[in-house]
Amino acid sequence: MGDREVHTQGACYGHMFVMLAHGASSNTQSKLYSQFLPHGMAGIGVHKAARIFYHATTGYFVGGITPSFALMRTAYLFAAADLYGANSLEYKAVQNAFAGINVGQPASDSEVPEVSVGPITVHANEMALRAFVTSEDDSGVSYLSMNVASRIQPKVPGGFFSGWVDLWDLKTGEYEFRAVGTDRAGRQGTGVKKFDFPAVNQLAKNGGFESGDADRTKTGDVSIEVNRPNAFAGQSSAIIKTGTLSQTISIPAGATSASLSFRLRVTKKFSPGQTLQVRLLSAGGQLLQVLNGYSSNYDTDNGFDNDYKRETFDLRSRAGQTVQISFVNAAAGGAEFRIDQVSVVYNARLSATFDVVVDEGEGSIITTAQDFRHFAPGEIDAMYFDFGPGNPVRVDREPWEAVRSTDGITKNTTYRAGVQIRNPFNEVVLERTEDYTVRNVNQLVRNGSFEEGDDGWSQTGNPVFGFNPNLSFLGTRLLFMAGRGVQNTQVVRQRITIPPTANSASLSLRLRIVRTMTGQSTGDSGDHFRVRIRDTTTNLPILQELAHYTGATPTPINIRHKDYGKIVFPMNAYRGRSVILEFESIENGAVPSTFYVDAVSVTYRELCEPETSLTSVPVGG
């Protein structure tokens, strides 16, 4: 381009100077992108770039001579060497900036960037953190990419970052702040620092406006701007020129404290008469209170935090109320009120219900924790259920329940069961206890949980009396029927005798229906499972069909542990008789369905069963 008109040549020099000062972007849509520096470059700042320019033009150009691009590059390199040294990042930045306009070669780059993540300060009530990142490289870091709690942040030009990051909707737990520095050659270095995010009961939604105006009501000249340099944290902030920006929240009646906070920045102060009011209104829109007013002369310029000031207000007196929080600028003018990180948090006493259900017939003890109140998102990480005797059972997902067999439990003894609710930092945040007793029971079924395989049962069609602790309702074994994907009939039977002295008798079992073909939401209606009572006479005639399910039938009601449903049938009609309990499965060979059976029980009570005395054993006894 040396023969081109001087202003055309000057445009190339100008582009070089901008890259030298501000860097080159790796974003192909950026005005600072150069196809000759696809990974970008780090800038050295306007002050250093201007010093090099001045030293080059006054010290190395002969008057009256228009230098070529190559001579201009040489003069800049001499100037950079004089001012900062021939091995300096400034010298290499000159090489890279000229390479960006296709003049000369870029600086050699042989090292991987070193990235350091400095102190991290978490402001949980604002759903934000402040971070400090530095990086070094032999030719400068072009840009930083940051991943905070698995959330990708916008790239930051250069190798330095000091600012706030939005953490809205983050749950309680331990997270990573990961920064990756990329140099001109595309080499990358990584710095990582872990941080804890504590439990926060946040009532405001989209307080950082990263989802635009979602969950907000706005009127007038109110907008959401996506511009990281103008936001307090993240990329977005709300601008109120004139109009209102509102959100409705409900503060729980049990709140022991509640507070509103937000970040405010006032810009373009051309209208001293303009005032931003923070109002509380009822759910119906009636004014309850003006929390504060900020004139367009309100000084938020503090030299840090991107010139945002934090404002806080006590809302404890509004516990049990639904209110609108409204930012109102009624007068038109030149002022802009920027709002970010609008937060309403509260504290309250944690609570949960803890139940213990003993079923002596099927031999189970089921402990359940539910109805959780005032827990922050992610605050419940695991629960430890203690049945009294034996070791506690750890549960780390819903449903929050644990089951154990009554085997080994001393009958007619009162035990104290308990649960510990722990957060992601393994801290106990709530404990509950409840007493329970396992009483003697008259059990007629032998080996109803199939822990002894097929002992006590007769069978045809080769059903599986299988070992699988993950699938069994109790213990380690269960009965699998059907599920082969071929035409098949299976029958499992046991003979029982109900005494004539029985006052009442009942059959119960646990059933789970599983669709075994991947991708099938329902099984085959041609697969059948039946529960029957047969006579013991010749040909075993059917006395009663108690239940009939197909592969397309949802698992029966009362779903609890491991997705089993409990089915109960009265057996009073068979007092004083011997009958045969039968399970039958018929499979048609199309879409396979499997019927899991466990905890089969037939129990009865005598006409006059004496009351038994009880003893007590505490948790862990």
Side-chain angles (χ1 to χ4, degrees):
M1 287 186 60
D3 58 347
R4 297 290 180 92
E5 192 267 336
V6 293
H7 293 93
T8 303
Q9 296 185 46
C12 295
Y13 289 126
H15 193 55
M16 178 278 300
F17 184 86
V18 170
M19 288 190 290
L20 179 62
H22 300 291
S25 175
S26 61
N27 182 356
T28 58
Q29 304 302 312
S30 172
K31 294 180 179 180
L32 294 179
Y33 175 78
S34 169
Q35 61 177 318
F36 307 109
L37 294 173
H39 293 289
M41 64 166 283
I44 60 174
V46 174
H47 178 72
K48 289 183 177 180
R51 287 193 68 196
I52 293 172
F53 164 77
Y54 180 79
H55 192 66
T57 55
T58 59
Y60 289 98
F61 293 159
V62 179
I65 298 177
T66 301
S68 65
F69 282 100
L71 290 176
M72 181 71 80
R73 176 179 182 272
T74 300
Y76 265 74
L77 290 173
F78 281 152
D82 291 343
L83 295 171
Y84 302 105
N87 293 319
S88 66
L89 291 177
E90 291 80 3
Y91 187 92
K92 294 178 179 181
V94 170
Q95 291 178 295
N96 292 334
F98 272 95
I101 60 171
N102 199 23
V103 177
Q105 295 298 312
S108 62
D109 191 336
S110 59
E111 297 180 6
V112 173
E114 293 184 7
V115 180
S116 176
V117 180
I120 288 178
T121 305
V122 176
H123 284 217
N125 284 2
E126 291 191 277
M127 309 300 286
L129 66 75
R130 185 168 192 169
F132 183 79
V133 181
T134 58
S135 60
E136 294 182 358
D137 185 68
D138 57 343
S139 67
V141 174
S142 300
Y143 60 87
L144 289 171
S145 302
M146 291 175 288
N147 183 316
V148 185
S150 300
R151 301 177 181 193
I152 305 299
Q153 305 294 314
K155 293 179 180 178
V156 176
F160 174 81
F161 173 78
S162 177
W164 293 85
V165 176
D166 183 273
L167 299 178
W168 213 266
D169 292 332
L170 197 65
K171 297 180 179 180
T172 309
E174 182 184 72
Y175 298 93
E176 282 187 348
F177 184 106
R178 180 178 295 269
V180 178
T182 303
D183 65 16
R184 183 201 56 76
R187 295 183 179 89
Q188 294 184 327
T190 302
V192 178
K193 188 176 287 289
K194 293 184 178 181
F195 67 92
D196 292 340
F197 191 80
V200 177
N201 285 310
Q202 178 64 253
L203 297 175
K205 297 180 180 179
N206 186 31
F209 304 102
E210 299 303 302
S211 299
D213 60 3
D215 301 303
R216 304 276 167 178
T217 300
K218 58 186 179 71
T219 63
D221 192 359
V222 177
S223 61
I224 309 300
E225 182 186 60
V226 181
N227 187 341
R228 185 186 185 97
N230 289 333
F232 169 73
Q235 302 182 75
S236 302
S237 58
I239 304 174
I240 304 175
K241 295 181 179 179
T242 178
T244 64
L245 180 66
S246 305
Q247 184 173 98
T248 300
I249 62 165
S250 296
I251 302 176
T256 56
S257 67
S259 63
L260 161 68
S261 69
F262 59 90
R263 293 282 178 162
L264 172 64
R265 175 180 171 186
V266 183
T267 58
K268 296 184 179 180
K269 305 172 186 176
F270 302 132
S271 302
Q274 282 187 284
T275 299
L276 177 73
Q277 285 191 343
V278 184
R279 300 176 181 176
L280 280 185
L281 294 86
S282 68
Q286 181 181 2
L287 179 63
L288 300 175
Q289 183 180 0
V290 176
L291 296 176
N292 206 353
Y294 304 92
S295 74
S296 58
N297 287 328
Y298 184 67
D299 186 12
T300 62
D301 296 339
N302 51 27
F304 56 92
D305 292 342
N306 209 15
D307 289 335
Y308 279 85
K309 278 189 176 180
R310 186 172 185 233
E311 307 293 332
T312 61
F313 302 94
D314 188 351
L315 300 183
R316 180 175 46 187
S317 63
R318 303 297 173 180
Q321 298 180 28
T322 296
V323 297
Q324 293 182 43
I325 298 174
S326 185
F327 298 91
V328 182
N329 178 17
E336 290 184 352
F337 298 92
R338 287 184 178 270
I339 303 294
D340 205 353
Q341 301 307 110
V342 182
S343 167
V344 179
V345 298
Y346 78 95
N347 291 312
R349 184 177 179 180
L350 303 179
S351 67
T353 59
F354 177 57
D355 298 312
V356 181
V357 178
V358 179
D359 189 324
E360 292 91 345
E362 69 178 15
S364 69
I365 308 168
I366 301 177
T367 56
T368 305
Q370 55 192 349
D371 297 331
F372 306 104
R373 295 182 181 273
H374 309 307
F375 284 84
E379 188 172 5
I380 300 176
D381 183 66
M383 296 190 192
Y384 287 79
F385 292 89
D386 191 340
F387 291 89
N391 296 322
V393 177
R394 185 179 189 274
V395 178
D396 59 6
R397 69 194 64 178
E398 295 185 87
W400 299 110
E401 63 183 20
V403 178
R404 70 153 290 171
S405 171
T406 57
D407 292 345
I409 298 287
T410 303
K411 304 303 186 289
N412 303 316
T413 298
T414 299
Y415 291 92
R416 177 159 294 173
V419 62
Q420 285 187 344
I421 302 178
R422 301 192 185 190
N423 64 17
F425 316 117
N426 202 32
E427 299 168 338
V428 177
V429 296
L430 187 68
E431 292 184 272
R432 288 289 181 267
T433 61
E434 183 174 323
D435 293 345
Y436 72 93
T437 303
V438 179
R439 301 179 184 274
N440 286 316
V441 67
N442 297 307
Q443 177 65 258
L444 297 177
V445 172
R446 170 168 171 72
N447 186 28
S449 293
F450 308 103
E451 295 302 300
E452 300 173 43
D454 63 358
D455 187 34
W457 300 90
S458 64
Q459 52 91 8
T460 60
N462 296 318
V464 177
F465 296 81
F467 173 85
N468 194 320
N470 293 325
L471 296 181
S472 63
F473 176 77
L474 278 177
T476 61
R477 292 182 176 272
L478 69 155
L479 170 63
F480 297 91
M481 301 191 71
R484 298 187 177 185
V486 297
Q487 292 185 359
N488 179 268
T489 298
Q490 298 173 344
V491 176
V492 174
R493 293 171 177 159
Q494 184 171 140
R495 177 171 175 159
I496 59 174
T497 300
I498 302 177
T501 56
N503 182 46
S504 63
S506 63
L507 160 68
S508 69
L509 62 103
R510 293 282 177 167
L511 175 65
R512 179 181 173 189
I513 303 173
V514 179
R515 291 61 158 149
T516 54
M517 178 173 285
T518 301
Q520 292 290 333
S521 59
T522 59
D524 194 332
S525 60
D527 296 335
H528 301 270
F529 176 81
R530 292 179 170 89
V531 182
R532 296 185 178 122
I533 301 297
R534 288 183 179 270
D535 198 354
T536 57
T537 59
T538 305
N539 298 325
L540 307 180
I542 297 174
L543 297 176
Q544 185 179 2
E545 183 168 287
L546 300 176
H548 176 200
Y549 301 100
T550 73
T553 305
T555 296
I557 60 172
N558 301 320
I559 296 174
R560 294 195 69 134
H561 188 58
K562 296 184 180 179
D563 291 332
Y564 278 85
K566 184 178 182 181
I567 312 168
V568 180
F569 309 99
M571 297 286 285
N572 295 342
Y574 304 107
R575 285 178 294 189
R577 296 183 60 176
S578 292
V579 295
I580 293 176
L581 170 63
E582 177 185 273
F583 304 125
E584 179 192 67
S585 68
I586 299 176
E587 194 173 0
N588 69 356
V591 179
S593 306
T594 305
F595 303 94
Y596 297 175
V597 182
D598 204 354
V600 181
S601 167
V602 176
T603 59
Y604 71 94
R605 293 182 64 86
E606 296 282 2
L607 289 172
C608 295
E609 285 191 3
E611 291 294 326
T612 55
S613 60
L614 303 177
T615 58
S616 297
V617 178
V619 172

